[in-house]
Structure formats: C-alpha cells, structure tokens
Amino acid sequence: MIVKIIEGSCPVRILIIDDEPAMHDSYRQCFAPASGGSLDAMAAELFGDDDAPAPASADDAPDFALTHAMQGLDGVGEVEKALADGNPFAVAFIDIRMPPGIDGRETAKRIRALDPDINLVIVTGYSDFSPIEIAKVAGPADKIFYIAKPFEVDEIVQTATALAKRWQIDLELAAARAQLADQIVMLEEQGRELAANESKAVHMATHDSLTEAPNRLAFLRALTERARGRERFAAAMLDLDRFKLVNDTLGHLAGDEMIRSVYLLLSAAVPEGGVVARLGGDEFGILFDTPGEEAAVQACELMLRKMTVTLNLIGHSVQAGASIGVIVTEAEPVRDPVDVMRRADLALNEAKRAGRGIVRAYDESMDDSIKFRRQIEGGLSQAIARGELKLAYQPIVARDGLEIVGFEGLLRWFSPEYGAISPAMFIPIAEESNLIHELGDWVIETALAELHNWPGQYVSINFSPRQFRRHNFVAHLVECVQRAGVEPGRVQIEITETAIFDDADRAAETLYRLRQMGFRIALDDFGTGYSSLYNIRKFALDCLKIDKSFIDGMGRERESAAIVHSIIHLGRALGLGVIAEGVETDAQVQALRLAGASHLQGYYFSRPVDAEAARAMAAMGSVEGKDDPGDGPALLQGNGTHG
C-alpha cells in the first residue's frame, strides 16, 4: 500500500509506546500545529541529503495522527490492528523501559516481525541495551534510530517528518519493483508464447498436415543440403497409380487414408538414413544415399514391391501401386536442387508412359529442354541490347485503405523467337551463366529512372542470391542511387532467406550497411525458407513478405491461416511491417486486415502494369477499384518476379 503523505493528502500515522503519561503529553505538544520552517533543513542535516530543497514552511510538513500505547504489548496490538486495516504506521517511538510488561527491545523485536517497513525510534535516558543489541533483534539497522531523553520538540518532529517521507519513498520503490517484476514475468511469458508460435509455425510450414510427413519445402531443403555434400545420392519422385480413380469412386476420405498408408509403407521401406516427403496430392519425394545408379534403381524397385499391397480403405479393398523416376547425383559438380527435382520428375513421367508400376532412371535423352535452355541463354545475352526486356510494376497498398505506398518492379522478357518467357525459367539460367549481374543492373537503372515520375512512392526490387553475394554489392547500389539522384529510402531491397542463409554473418553485415545507407529491407517469401526468430532478430529488416502460397491456402487450410497469423503476430511483436502478397479475393483482404497485416499486394488491387499505367496510379495515390483476376493485359501475365 502506498499512502500519500508527502502532499498532506492523508495524515501520517505515528505510534507512541511509553509507560509514563507525562511523556505522552510531551509527544502531543511536539506534534501540535506550530510554525517552524526548519524541518526540511534539519532532515537534510540528519540524513546528509545534499540535494534537499530549501527550508519550507510548516504548512509543507505532513499532518500526523498519533496513536498511544502505555505498554509494549499494547503497542504490538496496535501494529497488528493497523496492518489488518490496511493503514500501517510509518514511525513508532518506543521507550526502552516499560515495567512491568515487555521492555522496549522486545517490543521493537515483535513489531519488526509484524511490519518490516516501519521505522523504529528508540527513546531512552538509559543504556540498558546497546544499539547493536537492539539492531540484532529488530533490524535492519537502517530502520532503527535513537533519541535520548530529554528530547527537544524540533528533534522529535523533524525525525518523524524525515522518517515519514522516507517510509513513503520506500513503499513507492517497493511498488515500482513489484510492477517491474510483473512486467518481466509478462515479457518472459510473451517470449515463451512467441517461441512456441514460431516452433509451431515452422513445423506447419515444413510438414504435411495429412501425413505429418516432410512437405515440399522440407524436401527441397534436405535436397539442397545433400547437393552441397560430397556423397553420391539418389533423388526419386513417386506417383500413385490410379489414385484419381480412388478419390472419384470411394471419396476423399478413402483417398486420404490411402495417402497415409502409402507414406507409412514408404517410410519403412526407404534405405537407412533416407527421407520420404509428401510433395502434394499423390506425389512423394525420396532421398537416400546410394553407391550408384544400379543400386538406386534396385532400392526403388524394393520400395515399389513393399507398397504394392492390398489396402483396406473404409471397408473397401484397394490395390496400391506406383511409378518412380530416379536420378543419381554425383558429389561433383554441385547440382541445382530444383534441376535435380525436375530431372527426377522427367524420369517419373517416362515411367508412367512406359506402363506404370515400374522404375525409370533419368538419362539425357529424356531432357528435351536442355537444348532449349542453351538457346535461352544465348538469346538472353542479347535481350538488353535488343530492347526485349520490360519492367512491370505492381502496387503495394496500405492495409487500412487503398493508398499506394510503393510498387514492386517485376522483370519481363518478350523474345521475338519464343514469345513471353517466364522469369522462373530465364532467371535461374541467368544465375548460372553470370548474366544475372547484367540483368540486375538493367533493372536497377530502369526502376530508379522511373522513380522520378512518382510523387513519393518507393520501388521494391528483388535481388537474387548471386547478386546479393556480389563483392561490391552495397557500394554498387549506393553508386546507382547517387547517379540517379534518388534517396535510398525510396528503394526497398527484397531478398529471400535462401540468399542470406549460406553465409549468415556476411549477410547480416551487408544488410546492416544497407540500412545505415537508408535502404529499406524486405525479407521475401517469408515462411518458405530457413525462417526463425533468430534470423529475423539477427538481420536488419524493415518488413516481412508472406509468401503467396500461404495466402492461397488461407480459405482452405487451417494450417495456412495459422501460419499467416503467426507471421503477422511475429512481425508486429518485433516492430516489422508485414506485406501479404498474392491477395486475390475480398475474403483474403478482410482476413488479412483483421489479422493485422500492414500492407497488401496482389491481383485483387491490380495486376502488374506497365510504366505509363504505374505513373497514373502513383499520381492518383490510391487504387480506386480492383481488377478481375481473370482480366489484364497479356503482356503482363505471369507471377514470376525478379529485380
């Protein structure tokens, strides 16, 4: 309890314990209203307060309410009653000799046991007990004081005033400490809740909800780790035969049960140390170490035999079967994980064409796209000079309105020979052939030049991992914005977790330097990479971008909605903005607004538009309607992005 006595709003309770009635009269005279402006000065002198205020008038002294007790036991009883009433004493003046009852030493001991906050003043003309003896039983020593009889009026009043103020301050400090302790407990609870949410979100992001198997993301991560190692391994793709027939004839419950059963069979049959993941639908991915292609094919055939069994699905007997495509990857050269999956998928398609229920190993003859890739690489090197590249812009809007705060720059390539080519195809080729820096410089130059046509919005530019690892990346960006006459704060750098995970320390330093120069930093496709609270706290970020796949699944899967809510909660807790991309429906808009996403982006507001249309939208400052996701210029169709 904090009693306001400094301002005089409540009287200070003083307890007088003395067996002589005359002494009680003396105390009454001491605390009777009287003029005196030296109380504060005397208190300062007593307690050594060099910063004490100038002497105040008697009106500034607190009011005192005296309670008198003739014996020590009576005084102890008064303290008990005061504590029970919630109106404790600030100071107790105790006579040392009070026959025939308990003496002042014992009285002080019992009072201290009841009330650890009260200040005790021992008043005596004798030396029956030394201060050390009294302090041992009624300490602490800094709450016991001594006054010799006979005493002066000012001596008693100034002691009471100073101790009352000190008592008030002690209670306020105790309350502040208690409040701080409560806040610490609350922060610890929030930290545990955040960690639990993060762990749950990571698990949901990397596991299939139906089977609890690793999902496509986890499979790609495991494949990436193996591709960086020095061991030969096999990557296989498995697809169930006639699964659609089971779904169509027996229903989705039977189909779900079949998927779960097949996963359990595969998990038991995969070679030791192998990984089985559900990639989606009835497709599974398998990774395992192998001495060579022949052994890998034999291992896959064994898995096929183990899972070619009759399953009982909700009362119906169904014969399970599958086809497998496999590729054996050598330690050198390091293969692109996505390309390994693509080649295994080509082998799977060949197995299906060959009659199902068999295993096919990949060979180069299956890959008609290799020649096409080489043609793309050759044409890409000339695309800039020929003016075949375009930059489209998709608006980023504030959550609570339709205000356009920025545009994401999206690279498009329109080849006279092959037509519109998806960034998902030519960006990986550019990354492998070192053309990525030339493409990236063109995007930066084009986007910065376009910024001059906007009244204040920023441009968000995607950077590939190889660009981000460029030796002079920060200096190069600074030079570009200076040459273009653009403030760094109008440029947002979008980088994926994959780009920063390979060398986290170097990435953290690079992002810190970029933030120092004023650039905005966005972590793109959040939730699909190596997401962790540690990464987010370690790197200098402004916002998180929730991957479109989670937004797509919000209305269909509770897991996706939970991940979206967890990401938004995490971003808000860390003071980061959260941009939800791929927003296409009104239901998604409302759900994301309620969840607290700070910004939204997607077809619901606008498809990517050309520079001229972006200027008009920027000048207007807001999106006044929404585009039908089915409409839009063919020139700008496609979801591939790059900057």
Side-chain angles (χ1 to χ4, degrees):
M1 172 182 293
I2 298 178
V3 182
K4 294 294 184 182
I5 59 97
I6 301 303
E7 296 82 2
S9 59
C10 291
V12 181
R13 298 200 68 197
I14 304 294
L15 176 62
I16 311 296
I17 307 175
D18 200 299
D19 63 331
E20 297 182 19
M23 291 304 300
H24 288 278
D25 292 338
S26 297
Y27 280 108
R28 291 187 183 94
Q29 292 176 6
C30 289
F31 291 106
S35 62
S38 61
L39 296 182
D40 286 335
M42 294 173 70
E45 181 180 356
L46 177 64
F47 293 101
D49 186 358
D50 296 334
D51 299 323
S57 68
D59 293 337
D60 295 328
D63 294 330
F64 296 104
L66 304 186
T67 298
H68 297 269
M70 300 301 294
Q71 288 294 324
L73 289 176
D74 296 335
V76 174
E78 291 291 346
V79 171
E80 286 181 320
K81 183 177 182 299
L83 291 172
D85 294 340
N87 192 14
F89 293 104
V91 185
F93 289 87
I94 306 172
D95 185 23
I96 201 66
R97 287 186 173 183
M98 293 179 289
I102 61 175
D103 58 28
R105 177 176 175 272
E106 181 64 22
T107 301
K109 175 183 176 182
R110 297 189 185 188
I111 289 176
R112 175 63 68 212
L114 292 170
D115 187 351
D117 298 320
I118 192 170
N119 292 284
L120 303 179
V121 182
I122 306 300
V123 184
T124 182
Y126 304 94
S127 57
D128 298 58
F129 302 102
S130 68
I132 294 178
E133 290 178 294
I134 299 175
K136 284 182 180 179
V137 299
D142 64 342
K143 288 186 178 291
I144 300 180
F145 304 86
Y146 302 88
I147 293 179
K149 291 181 180 179
F151 48 71
E152 297 291 333
V153 172
D154 282 350
E155 184 180 11
I156 291 295
V157 175
Q158 75 97 92
T159 299
T161 301
L163 293 181
K165 291 184 177 180
R166 172 186 169 159
W167 178 76
Q168 170 73 17
I169 292 171
D170 287 347
L171 291 183
E172 290 176 345
L173 285 174
R177 292 191 190 100
Q179 183 180 13
L180 182 59
D182 290 342
Q183 291 175 341
I184 291 173
V185 170
M186 181 180 66
L187 288 174
E188 290 175 345
E189 290 177 352
Q190 290 177 344
R192 287 191 292 271
E193 181 183 355
L194 217 76
N197 287 340
E198 178 198 2
S199 177
K200 183 178 180 181
V202 169
H203 180 82
M204 289 190 297
T206 57
H207 288 77
D208 170 52
S209 60
L210 177 63
T211 62
E212 283 297 308
N215 62 8
R216 180 179 291 272
L217 171 61
F219 181 78
L220 184 58
R221 185 179 298 177
L223 177 57
T224 301
E225 291 175 358
R226 286 181 181 263
R228 291 172 180 159
R230 296 185 176 275
E231 302 296 328
R232 182 186 292 114
F233 69 94
M237 305 286 278
L238 179 148
D239 195 79
L240 297 182
D241 295 337
R242 295 173 294 277
F243 177 72
K244 186 176 184 300
L245 181 62
V246 174
N247 265 341
D248 292 344
T249 58
L250 301 181
H252 289 285
L253 289 178
D256 289 347
E257 184 60 31
M258 185 175 188
I259 292 293
R260 282 191 288 263
S261 299
V262 167
Y263 170 66
L264 293 176
L265 292 170
L266 285 175
S267 297
V270 70
E272 184 177 356
V275 175
V276 178
R278 185 190 179 201
L279 306 183
D282 61 336
E283 186 177 36
F284 292 85
I286 307 167
L287 296 174
F288 57 93
D289 294 330
T290 184
E293 184 176 287
E294 183 178 351
V297 171
Q298 290 177 354
C300 290
E301 288 175 342
L302 177 61
M303 283 186 276
L304 274 187
R305 288 197 298 271
K306 292 287 186 180
M307 63 158 291
T308 304
V309 297
T310 301
L311 301 175
N312 190 327
L313 306 178
I314 58 174
H316 298 273
S317 296
V318 175
Q319 183 68 31
S323 302
I324 297 180
V326 63
I327 179 173
V328 174
T329 300
E330 303 292 335
E332 297 290 346
V334 175
R335 293 286 185 89
D336 176 13
V338 175
D339 189 56
V340 172
M341 288 183 66
R342 184 184 63 80
R343 297 185 184 212
D345 198 47
L346 287 174
L348 173 61
N349 291 335
E350 185 64 26
K352 288 182 176 181
R353 283 194 294 268
R356 302 179 182 274
I358 60 175
V359 177
R360 281 288 182 267
Y362 170 83
D363 65 64
E364 294 290 339
S365 64
M366 299 177 184
D367 197 350
D368 294 333
S369 65
I370 291 179
K371 180 180 179 181
F372 179 71
R373 284 171 60 90
R374 291 172 180 165
Q375 292 172 334
I376 292 294
E377 182 178 340
L380 189 58
S381 62
Q382 303 296 322
I384 296 176
R386 295 173 180 169
E388 298 172 3
L389 298 179
K390 301 291 181 183
L391 203 57
Y393 302 90
Q394 187 172 39
I396 301 170
V397 304
R399 175 192 67 186
D400 294 327
L402 297 175
E403 177 190 3
I404 298 175
V405 298
F407 292 84
E408 181 178 2
L410 306 172
L411 183 59
R412 300 289 186 258
W413 179 21
F414 302 95
S415 166
E417 185 176 359
Y418 303 107
I421 302 176
S422 169
M425 174 173 287
F426 70 80
I427 292 301
I429 296 175
E431 186 91 350
E432 293 172 3
S433 63
N434 213 30
L435 287 170
I436 192 67
H437 298 307
E438 186 177 356
L439 284 181
D441 289 345
W442 181 88
V443 169
I444 294 170
E445 181 181 347
T446 303
L448 294 181
E450 188 59 31
L451 267 178
H452 291 288
N453 298 313
W454 303 344
Q457 292 87 355
Y458 65 82
V459 66
S460 194
I461 304 174
N462 292 273
F463 288 86
S464 75
R466 193 161 184 175
Q467 285 178 279
F468 187 70
R469 291 191 291 267
R470 192 174 185 174
H471 175 67
N472 60 342
F473 180 68
V474 176
H476 180 67
L477 279 182
V478 172
E479 181 184 355
C480 288
V481 296
Q482 289 178 342
R483 186 169 58 246
V486 171
E487 291 294 325
R490 295 188 66 193
V491 179
Q492 178 165 280
I493 296 169
E494 289 196 25
I495 192 74
T496 63
E497 293 170 274
T498 304
I500 62 180
F501 188 79
D502 288 344
D503 190 346
D505 291 335
R506 182 179 179 277
E509 180 183 357
T510 300
L511 294 177
Y512 175 75
R513 290 172 58 198
L514 289 169
R515 282 287 300 277
Q516 278 189 316
M517 301 308 299
F519 292 95
R520 304 162 61 98
I521 309 294
L523 192 58
D524 195 20
D525 298 337
F526 184 75
T528 63
Y530 301 89
S531 310
S532 75
L533 180 60
Y534 170 78
N535 281 352
I536 300 171
R537 296 175 62 187
K538 180 176 182 178
F539 299 118
L541 304 172
D542 291 288
C543 69
L544 310 175
K545 294 195 76 174
I546 305 177
D547 185 66
K548 181 181 185 296
S549 61
F550 296 129
I551 306 301
D552 284 343
M554 282 182 66
R556 304 187 305 272
E557 306 167 355
R558 284 183 298 177
E559 290 80 7
S560 292
I563 291 172
V564 170
H565 280 264
S566 295
I567 293 174
I568 293 173
H569 177 74
L570 180 63
R572 294 178 66 182
L574 297 177
L576 303 176
V578 178
I579 301 175
E581 57 183 350
V583 181
E584 295 185 357
T585 68
D586 183 72
Q588 291 173 347
V589 172
Q590 299 307 319
L592 289 166
R593 282 176 170 170
L594 288 174
S598 59
H599 296 86
L600 308 174
Q601 176 184 353
Y603 285 0
Y604 179 85
F605 304 100
S606 172
R607 284 181 176 273
V609 298
D610 60 22
E612 184 177 353
R615 292 172 200 167
M617 295 174 72
M620 190 186 322
S622 65
V623 179
E624 293 189 344
K626 68 179 181 68
D627 291 337
D628 182 342
D631 297 331
L635 182 72
L636 301 174
Q637 296 289 327
N639 292 323
T641 64
H642 179 72

